Amino acid sequence: MLSHLRLSVALTMGALGAAWCCPSAYAVEPLPFWQSSLSHTAWTKRDGAPSDPSAMVQDRTGMLWFGATNGLFRFDGVRFERVDDFGGHALKSPNVHALALFGDALWVGYEHGGISVFEHGAVRHYGEADGVPPSAILQMGKTADGTRWFSSSAGIYRLDGARWRQVLPADGLPAGDQPTLNVLPDGGLLVTQMAGLYRNVPGTHRFRRVGDFGSMQRSQVSADGRVIIFKFGETPRLFDPVTESLSLLPLPDKGVTPYSVHQDRRGAWWVGPGDGMRLYTPDWRLKKELPAPYEFSAVRVFRAPFDDREGNLWFMSENGVDRIRETRLSVQDMPPGNTDFSITAGPEGEIWISSHSSRDPVSPPTFAIATDGSRIPSDMLSATAGTLGPDGTLWFGDPHWVWSRRSGQVKTWMLPPSLQAQPAQAMAVADDGRLWISLARRGVHTFVDGLWQAGGGHAALAPRTALSLHADAEGRLWFGYTGNTMAMLQQGKIRQFGAADGLAVGNVLTMFSRRGTLWVGGDQGLARYHQGRFVMLNDSAGRPLAGIAGIVHTAQGELWLQGVDGLIRIGAAELAGVLNGGADRVVAERFDFLDGYAGAAQQLRPLNTLAEAGDGRLWYATSSSVGVIDPRRIVRNPVAPTPLITWLNTDQRRYRVANGIELPKHTHNVRIDFTAAVLSIPERARFRIRLIGQDHEWRDAGALRQAFYTNLGPGDYRFEVMAANEDGVWSAAPASLSFHVAPAFYQTVWYKLACAGLLAGGLYLLYLWRMAQVTARVVERMRGRMDERARIARTLHDTFLQSVQALILHFHSIKSVLPREDKVQRQIDAALHAADVVVEEGREQLMDLRGNQGARGDLALALDAAGVAAAAQHGVRFTLHEQGARRALRPEVQDELLAIAREAIANALRHSGSADVVGRLGYGTGVLTLAVQDHGSGMDDAVLRAGQRERHWGLTGMRERAARVNAKLEIHSAPGAGTVVVVTLRAGLAYS
């Protein structure tokens, strides 16, 4: 039920309103009389229509509301939907007899008494305690002074504050059964009852008698402001509120008394004689009959028709609802029993019409319809083909005759015996005046001055029957055949065309040329001739424009086609894009059965089915009808529809539409119902939708009025819908609905954060475990390395150094036995000095191997001790400077840096000749820096470029040690300026 609707949005008086509840309804200008054909549609109980509706209004969204014996209904042009409550406020009864819209309030009157007012989500009920009688509420109205009124079988009542008061005889209104009321154009009130007509005194609740013709039937305020007083069995009266005079309303004499007489906003008269409805012009000429039950839903109609804001006319009957609307195509009346029509444009703007088939043995003569609508009879036979020559001569043909008509004179020639008994298929007049005619199964022939010539003297053209012929302004004659083939005759030369030339139209049914462009239509597509080839043209979706039996390129630059199911219009701008820009796709507007198109376009014969008359109107012929449309005056619907969201559905329940709907957890699938009031041609309404929170852009929903979404996650969403009418006029703003899908516990933010925390914690523990493993392996490797270094140190000490020391002692013993002045003494001293150097270097190596054990505590302490000890042996001063707070280093880093520093100090002591050596150790937050600097002679350029001294490996060793811990080693030196060795290492790799 539509309890979700909010009156503030959906329920306010439409532009046209109901005659009895909206005094401003007639401020709208009347519409012109019905110009084209009428389309009738009936909705009965099997279609969900209300049962015996008695009231009808239209809200500002365009929706129609009906009050009936079986409830209150809303109608969007497609579906009737019953409304039992508004915002949770239920109707007092399903038996609704009267409706009114005053501002944003919907007033509902019930069959057995009582009134409900629904406004802005609230309700006000009026009952017997409020002065409302327990009888049917017939009508409601509001006068210009703001007073609310209703009529019932008990009398006329007005709302005085919060209570209803009856208008009594003391107020000038005599008692009477079933009085009816009408709000007049000036905002006053007219009451009709058996005693006569009574009009209220402005600004008061008093009445005065203004007429003596009374009735119990409902009156109607017509489009010109006069009131139609209908009384069964008597001639209706017209009451003029300006002059307060009554006049007779003469009806056509049909021998029966009608059940109803009404006038619509177009000035047309509608009379219900008891067998349906009849439409009359304002001067009472019969326009159309709608007999029941085939063309109208019921035999009787009592209530006045309703004009909606789109120009449609609605009737309520005991069986349902009927809609009358204008079609865009105007179907013309043809002689009864005739079918398979063909048309030919005449020299004076008239259209000549023939019928190829008839239920009579002989088809009726060809006739014409002039530009003023008058019919021009003739005694010409009904033709199967026709054409208009350049000189204004009309030519026609049938299976036995060929005839011409010029200036009202007709000449007839019989076909030669060999050509008879087969219908004329196509005709054209060449620029030399010869008539070309194609005869079924007889081929193509020319006719001039009573002489026939096969193929016009061209043997290649004679035997084959052409489906279509066309002579263009360039002097070319075109032949269209079956099998996607064509021929062109120009200056005596014939050229053949087929698929190799771009032609893909199938059987060539029609041709038309204008402004140098030849158009060719067939059962498989449409093409144009351009620069010696054919170029196909498709619709905007890339589909062929198939089944083309007629083509007209209008003087206004539009291209009109006749297809199997209707007419196709390509606008001038679209066509210019084809002719000037070479586009091969166009947006095409279609006119089909919804626009009044009846029958089907011929695909064989007759093929003269589309023509432009002299007044610019387009005429078309089908298998069962002949119609016309004026391309310059196509009826359009300017009313933008208002979209409306009606329901939100999940797998578990249905929700009333209100922003902020909370959907429970585990809601994955939703269906959203929406609609829009498009009342003229609802079949062409289009929608586009998007779900903000899931869709990134608008989606085309076509004519579907539901949106389905699956696999929704928790979160906030907003659904939006736009609507367009049959002419592509889109709504000014979308309708929207916001809702929230609650998350399950495992979809909440805290749960996801907890999971992320657990995952992070697990990863951190895994990292610690892995680091412990790596550290253990590194420690094990370092322990093995240190053990190996200790073993090597012991071996060097126990073997090499001991052997060298023994050798030194041996040389000392030799020296002691030699004379002091012996020259060998000096040689032995030199050898002993060299041996001391070797021992010193060996001891340094032992210190390298064992000395790092002392660096385990702190690099700065070990470096300072090693530097001071080494410098003391050479009589040089060593100083260590520190920057930043000391930090523990990785063991392998500390070992390598100490070894590099000792090597750099040793090099400075041996080679620089500097009086002091300075060490620097910087504990930066991003980088650890170690530097050793002397102020000596500097390094040779050759050594600096080579990176080492010949047969010395100290510098190479330093670089290798730096590379092991991913450190960067740089040496800066200049002759006479000393040398600086700098090692830098990123903090993440250096610190423990």
Side-chain angles (χ1 to χ4, degrees):
M1 302 300 107
L2 297 181
S3 55
H4 59 284
L5 294 177
R6 300 179 65 88
L7 294 175
S8 62
V9 176
L11 298 178
T12 187
M13 192 59 204
L16 300 179
W20 38 265
C21 71
C22 181
S24 62
Y26 301 100
V28 180
E29 294 183 4
L31 294 175
F33 186 77
W34 302 97
Q35 299 295 313
S36 65
S37 300
L38 301 184
S39 170
H40 167 261
T41 305
W43 290 268
T44 61
K45 298 175 185 178
R46 69 166 59 93
D47 306 305
S51 179
D52 193 17
S54 56
M56 180 180 183
V57 292
Q58 185 175 34
D59 65 30
R60 73 168 64 180
T61 71
M63 298 293 176
L64 298 179
W65 294 81
F66 296 89
T69 56
N70 61 336
L72 177 66
F73 290 81
R74 189 197 69 173
F75 185 57
D76 59 5
V78 175
R79 184 179 66 239
F80 288 91
E81 199 161 5
R82 177 170 157 166
V83 181
D84 288 336
D85 65 282
F86 293 93
H89 301 294
L91 300 177
K92 290 186 65 177
S93 168
N95 198 334
V96 178
H97 196 77
L99 293 174
L101 281 163
F102 302 138
D104 289 341
L106 174 67
W107 293 62
V108 179
Y110 301 103
E111 175 73 28
H112 300 289
I115 295 174
S116 298
V117 182
F118 299 95
E119 184 176 16
H120 298 161
V123 64
R124 172 71 163 92
H125 295 298
Y126 294 99
E128 290 188 61
D130 305 295
V132 179
S135 58
I137 307 300
L138 303 178
Q139 296 167 293
M140 292 181 285
K142 177 183 176 182
T143 49
D145 59 2
T147 303
R148 274 80 166 176
W149 307 77
F150 75 78
S151 66
S152 74
S153 56
I156 301 294
Y157 288 75
R158 64 181 177 88
L159 184 60
D160 184 9
R163 185 171 180 81
W164 292 92
R165 302 189 184 277
Q166 185 177 9
V167 180
L168 302 173
D171 300 313
L173 186 66
D177 292 334
Q178 289 188 278
T180 63
L181 60 83
N182 292 100
V183 178
L184 298 173
D186 64 358
L189 194 70
L190 182 71
V191 174
T192 305
Q193 58 170 249
M194 287 301 296
L197 304 178
Y198 296 83
R199 187 173 186 174
N200 75 317
V201 178
T204 73
H205 59 273
R206 299 186 58 81
F207 284 79
R208 58 188 180 86
R209 193 166 188 253
V210 293
D212 57 1
F213 185 80
S215 174
M216 294 176 62
Q217 277 78 39
R218 295 191 182 189
S219 304
Q220 179 202 356
V221 180
S222 63
D224 61 6
R226 294 184 296 174
V227 183
I228 304 170
I229 312 298
F230 182 79
K231 186 174 184 180
F232 190 76
E234 297 191 29
T235 301
R237 304 295 199 274
L238 285 175
F239 173 75
D240 188 340
V242 177
T243 62
E244 294 189 345
S245 60
L246 281 168
S247 59
L248 293 174
L249 178 62
L251 301 179
D253 184 11
K254 295 296 181 181
V256 294
T257 301
Y259 282 93
S260 60
V261 177
H262 301 291
Q263 191 177 37
D264 65 23
R265 189 175 155 205
R266 300 172 184 267
W269 294 100
W270 294 86
V271 178
D275 59 357
M277 293 298 292
R278 288 186 174 91
L279 168 64
Y280 292 87
T281 63
D283 57 355
W284 290 102
R285 289 182 291 110
L286 181 64
K287 173 72 173 179
K288 188 175 183 63
E289 294 186 70
L290 299 170
Y294 303 107
E295 296 188 43
F296 208 78
S297 64
V299 296
R300 299 179 301 175
V301 172
F302 295 107
R303 292 171 177 82
F306 180 86
D307 289 278
D308 71 20
R309 66 181 187 176
E310 296 179 22
N312 306 302
L313 191 67
W314 299 82
F315 288 91
M316 296 177 289
S317 74
E318 56 194 347
N319 291 329
V321 177
D322 294 75
R323 181 195 65 196
I324 306 295
R325 67 173 177 87
E326 274 190 325
T327 60
R328 299 181 180 184
L329 304 177
S330 181
V331 178
Q332 305 298 298
D333 293 330
M334 293 291 109
N338 289 4
T339 56
D340 298 330
F341 298 99
S342 66
I343 56 177
T344 304
E348 299 176 0
E350 77 278 16
I351 295 294
W352 290 88
I353 301 172
S354 294
S355 172
H356 183 51
S357 302
S358 174
R359 66 188 178 191
D360 296 326
V362 178
S363 295
T366 296
F367 68 96
I369 299 180
T371 54
D372 62 359
S374 61
R375 305 216 167 184
I376 305 172
S378 80
D379 56 2
M380 296 186 296
L381 300 175
S382 186
T384 59
T387 189
L388 177 64
D391 61 353
T393 301
L394 280 165
W395 290 89
F396 298 97
D398 72 1
H400 303 282
W401 302 87
V402 170
W403 62 94
S404 66
R405 185 181 193 275
R406 182 181 175 90
S407 302
Q409 302 297 316
V410 177
K411 295 181 179 180
T412 304
W413 297 268
M414 180 176 287
L415 292 174
S418 60
L419 302 182
Q420 291 185 9
Q422 293 297 331
Q425 175 69 35
M427 305 177 80
V429 179
D431 58 354
D432 59 3
R434 289 192 297 173
L435 173 68
W436 290 77
I437 181 169
S438 176
L439 300 168
R441 300 184 182 90
R442 300 290 189 265
V444 175
H445 304 264
T446 58
F447 176 76
V448 60
D449 296 331
L451 299 178
W452 293 88
Q453 186 178 24
H458 300 277
L461 300 175
R464 192 174 182 186
T465 298
L467 289 179
S468 54
L469 296 172
H470 178 71
D472 65 19
E474 283 72 33
R476 299 173 297 193
L477 190 65
W478 296 87
F479 303 80
Y481 301 107
T482 59
N484 194 48
T485 57
M486 292 182 63
M488 177 185 71
L489 176 62
Q490 185 178 25
Q491 296 179 353
K493 296 181 180 180
I494 300 173
R495 181 182 173 185
Q496 303 288 339
F497 296 91
D501 304 289
L503 190 65
V505 301
N507 299 314
V508 182
L509 305 180
T510 183
M511 292 175 283
F512 190 92
S513 63
R514 193 173 201 137
R515 298 169 185 167
T517 300
L518 174 74
W519 297 94
V520 179
D523 55 5
Q524 297 182 26
L526 174 72
R528 66 186 176 99
Y529 186 64
H530 180 65
Q531 296 181 352
R533 290 183 56 81
F534 286 94
V535 180
M536 299 300 296
L537 186 63
N538 301 321
D539 65 13
S540 58
R543 296 183 298 263
L545 298 166
I548 304 301
I551 303 174
V552 169
H553 188 173
T554 68
Q556 285 72 39
E558 297 182 341
L559 187 68
W560 285 76
L561 314 171
Q562 185 173 18
V564 177
D565 298 323
L567 302 183
I568 301 171
R569 172 186 170 271
I570 301 173
E574 286 286 322
L575 196 61
V578 174
L579 299 178
N580 301 327
D584 60 355
R585 295 189 181 189
V586 290
V587 175
E589 181 181 11
R590 298 178 183 271
F591 298 82
D592 54 20
F593 69 96
L594 295 173
D595 304 285
Y597 191 87
Q602 296 290 346
Q603 299 289 294
L604 180 59
R605 83 178 64 87
L607 291 176
N608 291 34
T609 58
L610 188 63
E612 183 178 19
D615 57 4
R617 294 189 299 167
L618 288 177
W619 289 76
Y620 66 91
T622 74
S623 58
S624 62
S625 66
V626 173
V628 63
I629 183 173
D630 191 340
R632 300 159 301 181
R633 298 179 180 85
I634 299 175
V635 178
R636 300 295 186 186
N637 183 0
V639 180
T642 301
L644 182 67
I645 302 171
T646 56
W647 291 104
L648 186 147
N649 306 271
T650 68
D651 295 336
Q652 288 75 34
R653 60 170 291 189
R654 200 178 194 194
Y655 291 85
R656 296 173 177 176
V657 168
N659 280 321
I661 295 175
E662 289 288 336
L663 300 181
K665 59 186 178 182
H666 304 301
T667 298
H668 302 295
N669 306 322
V670 299
R671 188 194 80 218
I672 302 174
D673 299 336
F674 53 87
T675 189
V678 179
L679 303 178
S680 298
I681 310 181
E683 297 87 347
R684 290 189 183 147
R686 291 294 178 267
F687 299 88
R688 57 188 178 199
I689 59 175
R690 68 176 174 182
L691 182 63
I692 298 177
Q694 176 157 314
D695 295 332
H696 299 293
E697 56 187 15
W698 288 97
R699 295 192 294 119
D700 184 11
L704 189 65
R705 301 183 184 224
Q706 291 179 325
F708 299 86
Y709 292 94
T710 60
N711 299 320
L712 290 181
D716 295 314
Y717 297 92
R718 186 170 80 250
F719 176 76
E720 295 183 339
V721 57
M722 297 276 286
N725 65 12
E726 65 269 25
D727 285 310
V729 179
W730 285 94
S731 49
S736 64
L737 170 67
S738 62
F739 61 92
H740 176 77
V741 178
F745 77 93
Y746 55 82
Q747 296 173 315
T748 58
V749 175
W750 64 263
Y751 179 83
K752 294 178 180 178
L753 290 176
C755 290
L758 290 174
L759 179 61
L763 292 174
Y764 182 67
L765 292 176
L766 181 62
Y767 167 76
L768 293 179
W769 173 77
R770 178 61 178 165
M771 287 302 297
Q773 281 190 323
V774 172
T775 302
R777 285 199 294 270
V778 171
V779 170
E780 183 65 26
R781 287 198 299 269
M782 291 299 295
R783 184 178 291 114
R785 179 180 174 187
M786 296 308 297
D787 291 344
E788 179 65 16
R789 289 163 67 104
R791 185 190 65 78
I792 295 172
R794 286 194 302 271
T795 301
L796 288 174
H797 181 271
D798 296 340
T799 59
F800 175 73
L801 290 182
Q802 292 297 333
S803 298
V804 172
Q805 191 67 39
L807 183 61
I808 292 172
L809 292 175
H810 182 63
F811 270 93
H812 275 290
S813 63
I814 295 173
K815 180 182 177 183
S816 65
V817 298
L818 291 175
R820 289 183 177 274
E821 294 83 9
D822 196 333
K823 295 180 179 180
V824 178
Q825 286 279 357
R826 289 193 297 274
Q827 295 176 352
I828 292 175
D829 288 338
L832 288 175
H833 178 72
D836 289 337
V837 172
V838 170
V839 171
E840 181 64 25
E841 288 180 352
R843 285 173 180 168
E844 289 180 358
Q845 292 298 322
L846 287 176
M847 290 181 68
D848 283 343
L849 291 172
R850 288 186 175 273
N852 289 346
Q853 299 295 331
R856 285 293 181 263
D858 194 295
L859 176 61
L861 295 177
L863 179 59
D864 186 57
V868 170
Q873 295 180 9
H874 293 79
V876 175
R877 185 176 66 255
F878 177 80
T879 307
L880 177 65
H881 300 284
E882 295 183 71
Q883 293 179 340
R886 291 182 180 179
R887 298 181 63 175
L889 304 181
R890 297 181 185 272
E892 66 274 17
V893 173
Q894 185 164 296
D895 291 343
E896 301 298 350
L897 292 183
L898 180 58
I900 293 170
R902 293 179 66 178
E903 178 67 25
I905 292 170
N907 287 339
L909 295 174
R910 291 193 193 106
H911 307 296
S912 70
S914 175
D916 65 334
V917 177
V918 179
R920 291 185 176 85
L921 192 57
Y923 298 93
T925 57
V927 177
L928 174 69
T929 304
L930 171 66
V932 176
Q933 182 178 8
D934 64 65
H935 302 87
S937 59
M939 188 178 294
D940 293 340
D941 289 339
V943 175
L944 192 61
R945 287 193 299 271
Q948 64 180 32
R949 295 180 186 272
E950 186 178 0
R951 301 183 68 182
H952 287 72
W953 310 103
L955 296 179
T956 302
M958 286 194 294
R959 289 190 176 90
E960 291 174 349
R961 291 179 183 277
R964 287 195 193 105
V965 292
N966 294 317
K968 181 180 180 181
L969 185 140
E970 295 177 307
I971 299 175
H972 305 283
S973 180
T979 301
V980 182
V981 178
V982 181
V983 182
T984 56
L985 180 62
R986 288 190 293 113
L989 300 174
Y991 302 134
S992 173

